[in-house]
Amino acid sequence: MSDSNGSSSGDGGGVRPPVGIDELLERVRAGYERIEPQEAYEAALAGDALLVDIRYAALRERDGLIPDALVVERNELEWRLDPQGSHRLPEATSHALRVVVICNEGYASSLAVQSLHQLGLRRATDLVGGFQAWRAAGLPVV
């Protein structure tokens, strides 16, 4: 039996109650280790991580870009980074690729990482605090 919101009122339906975004982010982030700006910078310099900026164009134009980061709009991310995909970027060479997803403040990137994990990119992570934390840490921006 369902109530007016469509949720199950019985205990045998297996339907989970709706979850708020804060709880969803907490659950998603519990599944991987996020990376701080300085560590991401050093990993990228060493060639151990691919930085991927998913911010939309207006934010990139307003705030600048991280040098050598790939710009991939959020709505194209999975298609561009799936090593098995026909629309993948040349850098999407393997499921073992360490990807650091960067959004503006570190929220949308967490949800994007969950999607990349579902594609088998288990080393994908995101930048704590996003681009704004990168810039506040005094790391390069062009």
Side-chain angles (χ1 to χ4, degrees), residues 37-131:
Q38 188 64 41
E39 184 183 353
Y41 174 69
E42 292 169 7
L45 279 180
D48 294 331
L50 178 65
L51 304 181
V52 179
D53 186 343
I54 65 168
R55 294 175 300 142
Y56 55 88
L59 288 176
R60 294 191 312 266
E61 291 167 11
R62 181 189 78 189
D63 295 337
L65 298 167
I66 295 171
D68 299 321
L70 284 179
V71 173
V72 179
E73 296 280 343
R74 172 62 190 101
N75 63 331
E76 296 180 355
L77 185 68
E78 292 82 357
W79 284 266
R80 299 297 188 204
L81 293 183
D82 178 5
Q84 298 175 353
S86 59
H87 298 291
R88 72 180 176 276
L89 293 168
E91 294 84 354
T93 56
S94 150
H95 285 97
L97 183 65
R98 185 177 185 198
V99 175
V100 178
V101 181
I102 302 164
C103 68
N104 195 47
E105 295 181 343
Y107 296 99
S109 56
S110 295
L111 299 176
V113 166
Q114 179 185 35
S115 182
L116 294 178
H117 284 182
Q118 290 174 330
L119 288 176
L121 292 158
R122 294 285 171 212
R123 294 184 68 211
T125 188
D126 72 320
L127 188 67
V128 175
F131 179 86

Side-chain angles (χ1 to χ4, degrees), residues 18-31 110-111 114:
V19 61
I21 188 60
D22 292 331
E23 185 177 341
L24 178 61
L25 277 171
E26 187 177 315
R27 288 181 187 179
V28 166
R29 290 172 175 169
S110 295
L111 299 176
Q114 179 185 35

